[in-house]
């Protein structure tokens, strides 16, 4: 299990200006074994629900693509 890879994605949503403006921030943290203490990184900022969905999809696609590449490179 030492090669297991995991990550967390946090989606923060808030309304500004009396609920007139939608805002979101997506941050990620590598939660793989042995990676404790890694700082969170901002993945995307969002101004609409569609922006949030697009950012989640892009993050997940990148995570899965990186996982496939690391599996392929293990030989």
């Amino acid at each position: 299990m030492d090669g297991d890879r995991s990550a967390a994605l946090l989606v923060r949503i808030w309304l500004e200006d009396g609920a007139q403006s939608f805002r979101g921030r997506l941050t990620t943290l590598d939660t793989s074994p042995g990676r404790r203490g890694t700082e969170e990184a901002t993945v995307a900022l969002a101004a609409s629900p569609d922006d949030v969905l697009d950012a989640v999809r892009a993050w997940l696609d990148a995570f899965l693509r990186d996982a496939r590449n690391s599996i392929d490179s293990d030989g």
Side-chain angles (χ1 to χ4, degrees), residues 13-23:
I13 304 296
W14 65 95
L15 298 174
E16 293 180 339
D17 302 327
Q20 299 299 316
S21 298
F22 176 97
R23 296 288 182 254

Side-chain angles (χ1 to χ4, degrees), residues 12 28-29 31 33 39 47 61 74:
R12 297 176 180 143
T28 189
L29 179 66
T31 59
E39 292 187 28
D61 287 345
D74 286 334

Side-chain angles (χ1 to χ4, degrees), residues 4-67:
D4 288 345
R5 183 164 180 257
S6 62
L9 180 68
L10 175 63
V11 179
R12 297 176 180 143
I13 304 296
W14 65 95
L15 298 174
E16 293 180 339
D17 302 327
Q20 299 299 316
S21 298
F22 176 97
R23 296 288 182 254
R25 178 183 303 270
L26 289 76
T27 54
T28 189
L29 179 66
D30 188 340
T31 59
S32 301
R35 297 291 304 234
R36 290 202 171 28
T38 304
E39 292 187 28
E40 74 177 33
T42 298
V43 173
L45 301 175
S48 73
D50 285 338
D51 289 347
V52 172
L53 296 175
D54 291 343
V56 169
R57 183 173 288 109
W59 175 83
L60 185 55
D61 287 345
F63 179 84
L64 294 174
R65 182 178 51 252
D66 290 347

